[in-house]
Amino acid sequence: LKPTWPALFPELARLHEWVGFSDLDVVYGDLDGEIARLQEGDELLVPAGMYPQPLANGNLMLFRSTHKLLHAWERIPGWRTALADPRYRALDEWWGVRPSFSDILYDMTLDGNLVARPTARPLLVD
């Protein structure tokens, strides 16, 4: 459910220019520096090792707190069915329901509807 989290808490998301999620076993380094080097039109920051594909992953994903990105997961066909199903359907960042959130972001990039940037430095991940 990671892709839905920022949209589920709009009162928190609107307080920040960038929102996202990550794993617990990531050494971020200078995350402020990574964000500061982004340009005004950049909308998504992903680890350099995950760029250009997959754009969404559990290690780290930060995106601008805009309606387009907070609700990009709603482009996943069948998301309502997945959320309503009492069984675990894995509406996740890169696996489970297809197309995945990563597939959606990649398609948005190819269509010119999303500007993604990799981190300048690699992240350390366990």
Side-chain angles (χ1 to χ4, degrees), residues 60-93:
L60 172 71
M61 190 178 118
L62 295 178
F63 45 92
R64 286 205 190 267
S65 187
T66 62
H67 186 271
K68 175 176 81 173
L69 291 170
L70 292 176
H71 295 274
W73 59 272
E74 293 176 1
R75 294 175 181 232
I76 299 171
W79 68 265
R80 283 185 176 90
T81 303
L83 291 178
D85 194 327
R87 296 169 295 160
Y88 180 64
R89 294 288 304 272
L91 183 63
D92 203 35
E93 65 271 7

Side-chain angles (χ1 to χ4, degrees), residues 35-109:
I35 293 170
R37 75 173 192 71
L38 295 173
Q39 300 172 13
E40 187 174 326
D42 294 341
E43 301 173 294
L44 180 68
L45 178 67
V46 296
M50 301 292 181
Y51 183 86
Q53 181 71 322
L55 287 177
N57 65 82
N59 298 133
L60 172 71
M61 190 178 118
L62 295 178
F63 45 92
R64 286 205 190 267
S65 187
T66 62
H67 186 271
K68 175 176 81 173
L69 291 170
L70 292 176
H71 295 274
W73 59 272
E74 293 176 1
R75 294 175 181 232
I76 299 171
W79 68 265
R80 283 185 176 90
T81 303
L83 291 178
D85 194 327
R87 296 169 295 160
Y88 180 64
R89 294 288 304 272
L91 183 63
D92 203 35
E93 65 271 7
W94 63 272
W95 69 286
V97 176
R98 292 287 182 217
S100 69
F101 189 53
S102 180
D103 297 331
I104 296 298
L105 295 177
Y106 195 65
D107 288 347
M108 289 173 69
T109 302

